[in-house]
Amino acid sequence: MKKIKVAIAAVVMSLCMSVSALAATDIGLNLDWKYAENSKINTGRARLYTSEAADKKNITIAVDAGHGTAGGEDVKILCHPDGSARADGSTICEAVPRDMTFQDKVTEADASLMVAESFKNKLLSEGYDVLMIRDGEDVQLDDVARAVLSNNKADCHISIHFNDSSSGVGAYYVSAPDKLKKLEPVSKYWNKSKKLGDSLISGLEANGVKISSGSSVEEDVVQTAYSSVISAYVKLGDKTADHSKEACDKYAEGLVLGVNKYYGFA
């Protein structure tokens, strides 16, 4: 009987630890934060999860499942904090660009969220705290709000996407073009962001994920333009990519390997 009670107590303790590890705090956008005034969709709330792992890293990773903001493509925001133009001359961007749809009709937003949820759980078990920017099917936070929340509540910002081509392109990260590198706050962070992007691709490759030739593509994205923390905008493949639960777990495992490599825990 004593052994049974001890076993039950152990199970209860384990369950309590799991619940504790998933305890979360909702965090909204503070409009007094730098750049927050450029946000147009900001009624949603991110969720901050605190790890209960024995090996606490004391590092918070913002995990951003791309898209998933209803109506975001119909709202316009400044591409750059200072209102300057991109290389193509545009100054206005979609607040949250429309996502693509895979060949089996699964949306990019849903697949990105599946990866993000797996990534969150694996990071928590590794001892990282996690700021989940989108913790469900929809969150009313535009790309400026997502970046600003990460700037103020996380040590780095990792955004998860897929490419809208059907050519079989592998995983890569978006790097800052030269014009963007000269602007604030990008000029202070692009080198470290490049290192994070390289580390994430290295982790994905080590976990058997197909990598695009070159492993990075220069693109002027809102996340990079507004990030005052290290950030990486990762695309895990395109419309032809496997996005099953098993594949999404595989992507997540690779991303964790990359985070550990970047922070020196590999």
Side-chain angles (χ1 to χ4, degrees), residues 57 126 128 255-266:
K57 301 293 194 297
E126 289 278 328
Y128 296 95
L255 292 171
V256 171
L257 290 175
V259 169
N260 281 337
K261 180 177 181 179
Y262 179 81
Y263 283 107
F265 297 114

Side-chain angles (χ1 to χ4, degrees), residues 136-233:
E137 183 177 344
D138 183 273
V139 67
Q140 288 297 296
L141 294 170
D142 61 26
D143 284 353
V144 171
R146 296 179 189 212
V148 174
L149 277 162
S150 302
N151 293 346
N152 289 275
K153 294 295 180 178
D155 295 291
C156 75
H157 180 184
I158 299 172
S159 188
I160 298 166
H161 296 261
F162 289 83
N163 189 282
D164 63 359
S165 76
S166 299
S167 60
V169 66
Y172 63 94
Y173 72 92
V174 172
S175 59
D178 287 342
K179 182 172 183 177
L180 192 56
K181 290 176 185 176
K182 298 174 184 177
L183 302 180
E184 294 295 330
V186 187
S187 60
K188 295 178 181 177
Y189 296 95
W190 72 266
N191 269 316
K192 291 181 179 179
S193 294
K194 180 181 183 302
K195 182 180 176 183
L196 175 61
D198 287 337
S199 296
L200 294 174
I201 294 301
S202 176
L204 289 166
E205 185 171 29
N207 208 43
V209 175
K210 178 183 176 182
I211 305 301
S212 177
S213 60
S215 75
S216 69
V217 173
E218 288 189 359
E219 189 176 341
D220 192 334
V221 296
V222 170
Q223 175 183 320
T224 304
Y226 281 84
S227 287
S228 59
V229 293
I230 302 149
S231 72
Y233 188 102

Side-chain angles (χ1 to χ4, degrees), residues 96-110:
V96 179
R98 188 185 303 277
D99 61 340
M100 65 83 167
T101 301
F102 289 95
Q103 295 171 341
D104 61 359
K105 308 306 180 184
V106 172
T107 66
E108 179 188 359
D110 286 343

Side-chain angles (χ1 to χ4, degrees), residues 1-222:
M1 181 65 70
K2 185 177 180 180
K3 289 183 178 179
I4 294 174
K5 288 182 178 179
V6 170
I8 292 173
V11 171
V12 171
M13 182 176 292
S14 177
L15 289 172
C16 289
M17 288 178 66
S18 296
V19 171
S20 178
L22 292 176
T25 302
D26 287 354
I27 299 176
L29 183 70
N30 185 333
L31 294 177
D32 291 330
W33 286 338
K34 191 171 185 178
Y35 307 135
E37 69 276 7
N38 286 358
S39 170
K40 297 294 181 63
I41 303 175
N42 48 52
T43 58
R45 301 178 78 82
R47 304 198 80 194
L48 178 61
Y49 290 85
T50 302
S51 174
E52 293 293 333
D55 182 20
K56 284 278 292 180
K57 301 293 194 297
N58 296 313
I59 295 169
T60 301
I61 311 295
V63 175
D64 185 359
H67 309 285
T69 297
E73 65 274 9
D74 299 322
V75 178
K76 306 303 177 185
I77 55 175
L78 289 176
C79 301
H80 297 159
D82 63 358
S84 60
R86 290 174 164 178
D88 63 4
S90 62
T91 60
I92 302 298
C93 301
E94 292 175 337
V96 179
R98 188 185 303 277
D99 61 340
M100 65 83 167
T101 301
F102 289 95
Q103 295 171 341
D104 61 359
K105 308 306 180 184
V106 172
T107 66
E108 179 188 359
D110 286 343
S112 296
L113 182 61
M114 199 184 317
V115 176
E117 289 174 337
S118 181
F119 189 26
K120 173 197 72 179
N121 292 333
K122 295 177 191 306
L123 287 170
L124 288 170
S125 67
E126 289 278 328
Y128 296 95
D129 296 334
V130 177
L131 180 70
M132 279 290 278
I133 300 295
R134 177 163 68 90
D135 206 23
E137 183 177 344
D138 183 273
V139 67
Q140 288 297 296
L141 294 170
D142 61 26
D143 284 353
V144 171
R146 296 179 189 212
V148 174
L149 277 162
S150 302
N151 293 346
N152 289 275
K153 294 295 180 178
D155 295 291
C156 75
H157 180 184
I158 299 172
S159 188
I160 298 166
H161 296 261
F162 289 83
N163 189 282
D164 63 359
S165 76
S166 299
S167 60
V169 66
Y172 63 94
Y173 72 92
V174 172
S175 59
D178 287 342
K179 182 172 183 177
L180 192 56
K181 290 176 185 176
K182 298 174 184 177
L183 302 180
E184 294 295 330
V186 187
S187 60
K188 295 178 181 177
Y189 296 95
W190 72 266
N191 269 316
K192 291 181 179 179
S193 294
K194 180 181 183 302
K195 182 180 176 183
L196 175 61
D198 287 337
S199 296
L200 294 174
I201 294 301
S202 176
L204 289 166
E205 185 171 29
N207 208 43
V209 175
K210 178 183 176 182
I211 305 301
S212 177
S213 60
S215 75
S216 69
V217 173
E218 288 189 359
E219 189 176 341
D220 192 334
V221 296
V222 170

